[in-house]
Amino acid sequence: QVQLVESGGGAVQAGGSLRLSCKTSGLSFSAFGLGWFRQAPGEEREFAASITPNGDTAYYGHFTKGRFAISRDNAKNTVYLQMNSLEPEDTAVYYCAAKASYSGSDYRAYDYWGQGTQVTVSS
């Protein structure tokens, strides 16, 4: 059974940082591309970042503006999202997702999802 479990969300003030983690199990981690998405109330799910199976290439959504960094540890079956210079507009539920041999920005393409972790940024 495939499981993705996010952690690391919380409440921070504008300008602060958070590091999200997504621990996976039940899949061949090194064969999967991984993505982070976010969804605010009433909004469509939005691409934040993704990383290729071997970790050599990362992609970012336009809103990240150099503030976010995705990384993965294949030995720990875990993907991370470092978020710096957070803004109130970053408030959302953040989800990780996985798909074999894919690391694109289309959330509809991903096969497996975590339950999400809430990030709240106050001004």
Side-chain angles (χ1 to χ4, degrees):
Q1 180 181 359
V2 176
Q3 286 190 313
L4 284 70
V5 180
E6 300 98 335
S7 61
V12 296
Q13 291 191 325
S17 298
L18 285 173
R19 188 194 195 205
L20 306 183
S21 299
C22 175
K23 172 74 172 173
T24 74
S25 59
L27 52 77
S28 297
F29 187 78
S30 61
F32 277 71
L34 300 160
W36 285 98
F37 295 81
R38 70 181 188 182
Q39 190 164 21
E43 301 288 335
E44 190 166 321
R45 195 159 293 193
E46 183 176 29
F47 171 70
S50 63
I51 190 165
T52 53
N54 64 3
D56 64 345
T57 305
Y59 304 93
Y60 294 95
H62 64 90
F63 71 85
T64 62
K65 295 178 287 186
R67 301 178 296 130
F68 291 11
I70 188 171
S71 61
R72 64 189 294 161
D73 186 335
N74 284 4
K76 296 182 178 179
N77 293 346
T78 301
V79 61
Y80 305 96
L81 186 67
Q82 178 68 43
M83 306 188 296
N84 300 323
S85 302
L86 284 162
E87 304 167 350
E89 294 74 21
D90 295 317
T91 296
V93 177
Y94 284 72
Y95 299 89
C96 68
K99 180 176 175 65
S101 304
Y102 179 80
S103 53
S105 61
D106 186 354
Y107 71 88
R108 295 164 294 186
Y110 285 81
D111 295 320
Y112 303 106
W113 290 86
Q115 82 290 348
T117 185
Q118 176 70 46
V119 171
T120 303
V121 185
S122 59
S123 58

